Amino acid sequence: MAGAAGPGTGPGAAGGDGDDSLYPIAVLIDELRNEDVQLRLNSIKKLSTIALALGVERTRTELLPFLTDTIYDEDEVLLALAEQLGNFTGLVGGPDFAHCLLPPLESLATVEETVVRDKAVESLRQISQEHTSVALEAHFVPLVKRLASGDWFTSRTSACGLFSVCYPRASSAVKAEIRQHFRSLCSDDTPMVRRAAASKLGEFAKVLELDSVKSEIVPLFTNLASDEQDSVRLLAVEACVSIAQLLSQDDLEALVMPTLRQAAEDKSWRVRYMVADKFSELQKAVGPKITLNDLIPAFQNLLKDCEAEVRAAAAHKVKELCENLPTEGRETIIMNQILPFIKELVSDTNQHVKSALASVIMGLSTILGKENTIEHLLPLFLAQLKDECPEVRLNIISNLDCVNEVIGIRQLSQSLLPAIVELAEDAKWRVRLAIIEYMPLLAGQLGVEFFDEKLNSLCMAWLVDHVYAIREAATNNLMKLVQKFGTEWAQNTIVPKVLVMANDPNYLHRMTTLFCINALSEACGQEITTKQMLPIVLKMAGDQVANVRFNVAKSLQKIGPILDTDALQEEVKPVLQKLGQDEDMDVKYFAQEAISAVAQRLTKLDFPVKDNEEPSAPGADKNHFLRPRGPGEDTGKAHRERAARVVSEETVEAARFRGTDAAKGPAHQFHVNTRDTLAQLEIAELVHFSQSRD
Amino acid sequence: MRGFWNKVFNLEVVCCPCLLKADIISTVEFNHSGELLATGDKGGRVVIFQQEQENKIQSHSRGEYNVYSTFQSHEPEFDYLKSLEIEEKINKIRWLPQKNAAQFLLSTNDKTIKLWKISERDKRPEGYNLKEEDGRYRDPTTVTTLRVPVFRPMDLMVEASPRRIFANAHTYHINSISINSDYETYLSADDLRINLWHLEITDRSFNIVDIKPANMEELTEVITAAEFHPNSCNTFVYSSSKGTIRLCDMRASALCDRHSKLFEEPEDPSNRSFFSEIISSISDVKFSHSGRYMMTRDYLSVKIWDLNMENRPVETYQVHEYLRSKLCSLYENDCIFDKFECCWNGSDSVVMTGSYNNFFRMFDRNTKRDITLEASRENNKPRTVLKPRKVCASGKRKKDEISVDSLDFNKKILHTAWHPKENIIAVATTNNLYIFQDKVN
């Protein structure tokens, strides 16, 4: 009930004497059937609160029957419902009543959306563990059988995922029945069901007695592996991994290997692709002996497959395959049986193959040691550094650290430099962006001297690139370089050049100076910021372009915390006040923002007790447009965003700055409509969460 | 076989066509059981008809189709980057194999494919805590117990809801969509490319065929139709404006630019004319239900090909050979570019395709007999039996014959469909849908 107590205060104020604890629940229940999906979703997510308020009895007799019929709802609501029900056992009265949850989950297991079905199956698996053995046979197993013999393939596919959880705890008679049902699903008419069965085959095999595995699972596996549909056959490869782990070497050789060999030479490239893709797992599952006899030759064939997709998938696995070979004799096997094929791939006709290889080939140097690397691998690296496809070169450069450990980067630097320069000037901005992201890494490997001599000018050139995304990345890059090489280096090499741009005739370049200052001020420290950067920023407050002026305001807000009080009071404040009177409304807006942030800091400094506290306003706004992009982020989306920016840079840029800040503005919306209170609190939580993740 | 033959030709009107009036119909398609029939029209609407359950007392009035659901599938759009209007016209409809109680279909206009769910609902929730059923709020102080809503029966409601939108993958106009027998992928073909989609993934598709030349001035041929094999999931065919059909095997390679079979009939030099290339363009290709044959429709004929024989069709049927002398005027009024579709009956023994003057043709593959029938306003009374029509090519016109010159080329039957199991056919004239079936004795 604790969760509901907060929202309850709103209506309480509006309603008067109603039962304060009842009212929020009443709202939640009513919103289960609200027109607005978001509100329904919200209610479903608080289903446990509702159930708690209703008590176990009413949950069983009223709430669950209602939920069983709710299958007409939107997918996201159904998904949330399926998830909630998995944790509902306690709320319906414990394990003795767990079976009450089966009807709603059963109907969810037949909907057409795969995500919902999968979640329903997951929840069913979860509550199957909470059933007593008796209840399992009385309620759960019949449910599995019903699903398995359902009219529609959606219910039969769902059944496939439930066999393995009920089998171990069933009596032997029931076990035989379960196996029988699974067998019939493996030869179902619809490929959907056969695929579901094939993908659960390995999991089911693990809970079966070894004899049954040999006598029943292996024939099923063989059948599925020779299914007429390649979409089924390729799933059998996955099952192969699990089955192989269960069998002894002799059985493996006799029962599984013929099928696996066949799969590696399947007529359909998708099946061969799957073998290549699962190669490391297969290798571990079958053990070293069969690997040497069977898998290595198969791998060689995959490396020279006629389909590029297969070659690329195999190329990706080269490093893992080599790593997983037994240490004894590993070098010889790699040198004699793998390397010749790799050499071929370096000059492959397909760029995806080459780039897949380039992403792992550097890893071989640690396995093969210094001498072999210099003699055999180095020529390949050098060839790939000169490859016509930028992605190949990028992949080599991004993995330089592996080689650095073994032979030192100097061996490569002669070829490296032209490759970097070429990438840095590539016509495609995404290529330039990618190489910028490796700059800090390269700088670290190559050392400050080499960097100053060869690469510094590139880093500066990116600052005036005509694509915003590149300029943005370039500013970020500078910050990382300063972190690496120290403030003295920054003061001598970077800061002067950045500050010169403040006088550039192009206002976009002048803004870049501001962005650089934003990024660098923290890394450079108070002295440089106050003495060198601040005067420039203040001077730019008189710029004729409004975008520059409001960015001055933002910059001042940003670097405020680094400056001392005197500078703030005497230099920053007057300028901001002047900007606060600007004729442009955006400049005014951001100046006001900055003024309040600075004022806050100044007042805090007046009370030395609180001095150690972080000034809150600038902290919250930390780097919102120079947000460092992690590799895990959705790059596709980022690219689209960037592409959009390139189309009409100024407009979009301005709109973005104004847009985000405006959207942030009203943080006090909560008392608008009492009925929506719950939803808004939920949203507020979400927003807060996503910010803290940033 | 003869008995069956007579049966097929003894068609009677099932429903009054005026009931089935629509905007200009652009596609007609039965679902896999034949219980539902979908039509798409130029206004972007999809209308679904449902077969009445057989009435045992009045055995002669079985199988009428009534409107089941109507929804707006596509809206007109404007592509601002290319300054192009995108019509809302439905080019193709394809039903998915049934996966649960609901029905699913794909509909496409020139650019965007949509997956629709058609479902029935006969229950609705009742009971609020804080308001009456009519929406009036209760005094919150009176809420002393909690009420959980309950579902109560209501009148059957059929809902159509868009489930997925597959957009932005086609630069040219989509002419075909076809669902794979693996139930999880489908293809979409435009003039120059064929894309492969997963039914659950809307943000990417794989281009499997691309015939766009590097220089568009070298363009000599476009894709006119494409279809997956009914049971071999790796095989599909596409037809071209040059009269060839290419069969591709997706197992061989991820990109199917290279075909594995090319079906082409050598041209008869005696028939060579200015129009040869135009009339050899294939407007439709359909696999037989068995998967052994495929049928293609060009301007004047229907051809049946055995998948195992590439050099010539096993059967050729002339649809309206009498138009060969009229090609010049048909070129002038653009009719020569009409795209007639064709279809198989449930047992692959009879094929049907449309013609002009609201005529449609059927060919019995066993007896080699053929017939011309007319879908017209005159026989809009249920149970009227259709009379065979004859067109007189030249010379003296016999009684009941129609002269070539009096054919109305504005009345064309481009779209027809055959019930997958029974002898029920749907024939779309410009804006009327006719449904005919075997005469019930």
Side-chain angles (χ1 to χ4, degrees), chain B residues 289-306:
Chain B
H289 295 88
S290 67
R292 164 127 191 230
Y293 301 101
M294 64 182 172
M295 161 167 58
T296 58
R297 171 73 209 258
D298 53 41
Y299 192 62
L300 294 178
S301 65
V302 167
K303 289 173 183 156
I304 314 274
W305 306 76
D306 187 326

Side-chain angles (χ1 to χ4, degrees), chain A residues 30 58 75 113-114 195, chain B residues 129 146 163-164 182 200:
Chain A
D30 282 2
R58 291 191 69 192
D75 305 330
E113 280 308 323
T114 315
R195 275 199 292 277
Chain B
N129 283 298
L146 294 171
R163 305 298 291 185
R164 302 260 193 283
D182 68 8
E200 296 192 348

Side-chain angles (χ1 to χ4, degrees), chain A residues 14-67:
Chain A
D17 301 315
D19 187 343
D20 268 8
S21 62
L22 220 53
Y23 190 88
I25 304 294
V27 173
L28 278 177
I29 295 178
D30 282 2
E31 286 181 352
L32 279 175
R33 41 175 298 211
N34 197 292
E35 294 283 306
D36 184 344
V37 184
Q38 204 52 48
L39 294 180
R40 290 204 301 275
L41 186 59
N42 186 53
S43 270
I44 287 285
K45 285 184 175 159
K46 296 236 160 66
L47 209 53
S48 53
T49 314
I50 298 176
L52 212 55
L54 288 173
V56 292
E57 179 73 36
R58 291 191 69 192
T59 300
R60 289 199 301 266
T61 54
E62 293 178 44
L63 186 60
L64 289 179
F66 171 73
L67 295 174

Side-chain angles (χ1 to χ4, degrees), chain B residues 249-289:
Chain B
D249 184 350
M250 298 201 298
R251 287 174 302 184
S253 154
L255 299 177
C256 300
D257 288 334
R258 252 174 288 154
H259 54 264
S260 46
K261 283 185 178 180
L262 177 71
F263 298 86
E264 186 172 24
E265 186 172 33
E267 196 185 11
D268 179 1
S270 63
N271 266 338
R272 173 99 202 129
S273 76
F274 171 74
F275 302 108
S276 295
E277 194 166 320
I278 302 176
I279 61 168
S280 67
S281 172
I282 291 173
S283 53
D284 195 17
V285 56
K286 292 267 166 64
F287 277 107
S288 65
H289 295 88

Side-chain angles (χ1 to χ4, degrees), chain A residues 341-445:
Chain A
F341 293 88
I342 293 179
K343 281 181 183 160
E344 296 277 308
L345 285 189
V346 168
S347 49
D348 198 278
T349 48
N350 186 296
Q351 66 175 59
H352 299 292
V353 178
K354 287 188 290 189
S355 97
L357 182 68
S359 65
V360 296
I361 190 173
M362 307 290 267
L364 291 182
S365 50
T366 39
I367 303 172
L368 288 177
K370 190 172 176 178
E371 268 170 45
N372 282 326
T373 301
I374 293 178
E375 197 184 332
H376 297 284
L377 290 178
L378 197 56
L380 302 181
F381 298 160
L382 296 178
Q384 293 216 301
L385 271 177
K386 294 193 189 86
D387 198 279
E388 57 183 9
C389 165
E391 206 174 314
V392 177
R393 284 173 271 153
L394 273 175
N395 279 345
I396 290 288
I397 289 174
S398 61
N399 287 302
L400 277 176
D401 45 339
C402 314
V403 185
N404 199 16
E405 288 161 22
V406 182
I407 57 169
I409 208 160
R410 290 282 159 190
Q411 291 270 7
L412 276 173
S413 58
Q414 281 305 316
S415 310
L416 205 49
L417 194 64
I420 294 172
V421 173
E422 210 177 305
L423 288 170
E425 291 162 357
D426 197 284
K428 293 199 182 76
W429 65 270
R430 276 170 217 196
V431 175
R432 300 201 295 277
L433 186 66
I435 187 75
I436 293 176
E437 265 148 30
Y438 295 124
M439 264 301 151
L441 176 80
L442 283 172
Q445 310 263 333

Side-chain angles (χ1 to χ4, degrees), chain A residues 2 33 58 72 80 256 282 325-326 354 388 443 471 540 544 555 607 623 627 646 667 677 679-680 688:
Chain A
R33 41 175 298 211
R58 291 191 69 192
Y72 300 111
V256 176
L282 287 170
L325 288 172
K354 287 188 290 189
E388 57 183 9
R471 299 200 298 275
M540 289 168 84
Q544 56 186 1
S555 288
F607 301 101
N623 260 355
R627 188 166 57 94
V646 180
T677 315
Q680 276 163 358
H688 178 72

